[in-house]
Each structure stands twice: as structure tokens, then as C-alpha cells.
């Protein structure tokens, strides 16, 4: 998943985990870690459709909050 350039998925991971959602930050998939800052890898192979819906709702709330924070900081 690609997010706006102002977001850093590695920095955002702790907040997502607090909300019960996990992902792999994109930096794990790039030779230069800075290239993957705004990407995340999601896994849908195990959860039910209902769990996926809830996880996406939670993750969406985290991303929305992070975007609002970035905007307030002028990023």
C-alpha cells in the first residue's frame, strides 16, 4: 500500500499496533531504506472478511490521524 510522501510507515507502526493492526513497513523491501518510507505490506491470507474490514477501519483511522498530524506540522 502506498501512502502520501509525508507519512513514514515505520514510525506509524507502533500506533497501528496499539489499535490492534499490524503490517510490514515498506523499508523492509528496499535496499535503500528511505525509498520505502511511505509503503506498507498488508497480509489478508488468514483473517476473515469481517476481521479484514475491521482491520482496514482501524488502519484507516491511524492513517487519517497521521495525515492530520503531518498537515498540522506543515509537512
Amino acid at each position: 500500500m502506498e501512502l502520501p510522501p509525508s507519512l513514514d510507515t515505520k514510525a506509524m507502526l507502533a500506533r497501528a499496533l496499539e489499535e490492534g493492526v499490524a503490517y510490514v513497513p515498506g523499508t523492509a523491501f528496499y535496499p535503500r531504506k528511505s525509498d520505502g518510507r511511505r509503503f506498507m505490506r498488508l497480509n489478508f491470507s488468514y483473517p476473515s472478511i469481517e476481521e479484514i474490514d475491521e482491520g482496514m477501519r482501524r488502519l484507516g483511522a491511524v492513517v487519517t490521524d497521521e495525515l492530520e498530524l503531518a498537515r498540522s506540522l506543515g509537512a
Side-chain angles (χ1 to χ4, degrees):
M1 176 179 210
E2 181 178 359
L3 299 176
S6 61
L7 296 185
D8 182 339
T9 59
K10 190 171 182 180
M12 202 172 69
L13 182 58
R15 171 79 197 294
L17 292 172
E18 287 174 6
E19 297 298 324
V21 181
Y23 58 83
V24 181
T27 54
F29 303 98
Y30 285 83
R32 289 185 313 191
K33 301 305 180 189
S34 61
D35 291 345
R37 275 182 62 253
R38 66 183 179 159
F39 295 92
M40 64 174 66
R41 185 173 193 170
L42 306 174
N43 182 331
F44 300 103
S45 60
Y46 178 74
S48 68
I49 296 297
E50 293 79 19
E51 291 170 317
I52 291 170
D53 287 343
E54 178 62 19
M56 293 308 294
R57 186 194 66 74
R58 292 179 188 189
L59 184 57
V62 171
V63 170
T64 298
D65 290 348
E66 293 292 320
L67 282 169
E68 289 174 4
L69 179 61
R71 283 188 200 111
S72 72
L73 297 174

